[in-house]
Amino acid sequence: MKKKLKSLFSILLIAFISVNATCQDKASSATDSGSKIEKKARKKKKKKRYKLPNIDLSHWSVTTPELNKKGSAMNIQPPEILNYATDERLLPYMYNDSTSGALVFYSFPSAAKTANTKYTRCELREQMVPGSNKVNWTFAQGAKMKGKLAMGEVSKDSNGKYHRVIIMQIHGILTDEQRDLIGQKDNNAPPILKIYWQDGKIRVKTKILKNLDATGNELLHEDAWDDDHGFNFEQEVGFGKFTLEVKVSDGEMVVILNESEYKVYDSIHIRKWGIFENYFKAGNYFQSRDEGAYAKVKYYELDVSH
């Protein structure tokens, strides 16, 4: 009888150990499964984190394709521009793409044109003194602008070609004294540099003198200058990210694409341009009046130094 009880006890003990081991395995499996779910949840949270562009807007104003109450193109200056993410005037035209970390500039043909132009824009204008357009810089003083950007979306014309977009500029400006000397009604001067996104490539246009012997006040008139034939960089950027850098110094202007391809301007035209003050522009100056046309330019980084 004792032997039978011992055998029965042994069988029950083995059964208990087996069931307990199975329960532990299931518990361990459940724990592992729960751990995996938690890890996945954490990964999802990480993926949902917002990315923001690396751009300080405290020294920029922006012009949009919308009319203001006075019937001219809307312009928002610092410090108001710093609230672009919640400013209803800017929300349709200048906003964050939080998945890619870009600041998007959206433009299309509208009635909101600026003086001396026929196209519309959502474009930044450098202000060395926030809120003022009176303080600018000369080539002799030197300046540098560098951006990381990409074409987001752009429409096509009736021939199936993408519409052109100016993505960077150096614009000339007359001082009040220069304006009065030549009897001009405003301070406008030509842009010495326009950089285009055109059919997936980067094209550069600059100004040249019509008369190389022109001096002094003759240089201040807009009709003293003409467009050059332009220059196309060999690299194709398409809709991918690329870097553009513009460096100016006394008598020289250099444009650099992706830190590997350079275009240097150091002719008499650039040297004589030194008479002007200048400011940088960046964004989306859309070069079409076609119905239904539009473009979106993405800026990830933008930095200016003097």
Side-chain angles (χ1 to χ4, degrees):
M1 184 68 180
K2 287 181 179 179
K3 287 182 179 179
K4 286 182 180 180
L5 286 172
K6 283 183 179 179
S7 298
L8 181 61
F9 178 76
S10 298
I11 291 168
L12 288 172
L13 182 61
I14 291 167
F16 174 77
I17 293 169
S18 177
V19 169
N20 189 49
T22 302
C23 289
Q24 285 180 349
D25 287 343
K26 285 182 178 178
S28 176
S29 178
T31 303
D32 290 343
S33 178
S35 178
K36 286 178 182 177
I37 291 169
E38 285 179 10
K39 283 180 181 178
K40 284 182 180 179
R42 284 198 296 269
K43 282 182 180 178
K44 281 184 179 180
K45 282 183 180 179
K46 284 182 180 179
K47 286 179 181 178
K48 287 182 180 178
R49 285 180 184 172
Y50 293 126
K51 295 179 182 178
L52 295 175
N54 184 21
I55 300 173
D56 179 5
L57 293 169
S58 60
H59 285 268
W60 298 94
S61 67
V62 65
T63 301
T64 76
E66 186 170 323
L67 290 170
N68 59 23
K69 292 179 180 179
K70 295 181 180 180
S72 56
M74 180 79 71
N75 182 265
I76 308 296
Q77 303 195 37
E80 290 178 282
I81 191 175
L82 300 177
N83 300 318
Y84 71 93
T86 56
D87 192 323
E88 292 184 359
R89 297 169 299 174
L90 292 176
L91 282 175
Y93 313 112
M94 178 180 169
Y95 55 89
N96 289 330
D97 178 349
S98 57
T99 57
S100 66
L103 180 57
V104 181
F105 297 92
Y106 169 58
S107 189
F108 60 94
S110 73
K113 296 178 290 184
T114 54
N116 309 301
T117 65
K118 62 179 180 179
Y119 298 119
T120 50
R121 69 189 79 205
C122 184
E123 187 180 37
L124 298 172
R125 194 269 196 213
E126 180 192 12
Q127 291 187 322
M128 295 183 76
V129 175
S132 173
N133 290 339
K134 289 295 184 182
V135 181
N136 302 285
W137 48 266
T138 64
F139 272 48
Q141 291 170 321
K144 183 174 77 171
M145 176 166 65
K146 185 174 183 179
K148 179 183 287 186
L149 61 154
M151 179 57 66
E153 300 174 24
V154 61
S155 52
K156 293 181 179 181
D157 62 21
S158 56
N159 296 317
K161 285 192 172 184
Y162 289 115
H163 288 113
R164 294 191 309 164
V165 183
I166 294 176
I167 51 178
M168 280 188 179
Q169 295 191 74
I170 296 177
H171 213 292
I173 188 169
L174 298 174
T175 64
D176 290 345
E177 183 183 10
Q178 289 173 332
R179 176 200 63 201
D180 296 340
L181 277 172
I182 64 173
Q184 187 168 298
K185 64 180 181 179
D186 59 27
N187 298 80
N188 186 64
I192 184 61
L193 176 69
K194 291 180 180 180
I195 304 180
Y196 294 80
W197 183 95
Q198 183 172 329
D199 295 323
K201 287 200 167 188
I202 302 303
R203 178 168 171 78
V204 183
K205 294 277 289 180
T206 186
K207 292 292 182 183
I208 54 174
L209 276 168
K210 294 177 181 177
N211 175 16
L212 293 180
D213 295 325
T215 58
N217 292 347
E218 296 175 285
L219 300 171
L220 299 175
H221 294 272
E222 188 167 358
D223 59 11
W225 300 86
D226 205 351
D227 292 326
D228 72 349
H229 294 299
F231 169 80
N232 294 325
F233 281 103
E234 291 184 8
Q235 299 175 59
E236 184 167 347
V237 299
F239 289 85
K241 289 182 186 179
F242 60 94
T243 61
L244 267 177
E245 188 170 5
V246 180
K247 295 179 179 180
V248 295
S249 55
D250 195 8
E252 183 177 272
M253 178 171 67
V254 184
V255 183
I256 308 165
L257 175 62
N258 285 330
E259 299 181 349
S260 60
E261 198 172 347
Y262 296 71
K263 175 60 178 173
V264 179
Y265 297 89
D266 57 1
S267 66
I268 188 173
H269 308 287
I270 294 296
R271 292 195 294 274
K272 289 199 173 185
W273 185 264
I275 195 172
F276 289 106
E277 290 189 351
N278 309 271
Y279 55 90
F280 285 121
K281 304 195 83 177
N284 180 353
Y285 183 19
F286 188 51
Q287 302 291 289
S288 174
R289 297 295 305 175
D290 290 353
E291 186 176 351
Y294 73 97
K296 294 179 181 179
V297 177
K298 294 183 174 183
Y299 265 82
Y300 301 88
E301 298 175 10
L302 182 63
D303 183 64
V304 168
S305 59
H306 296 281

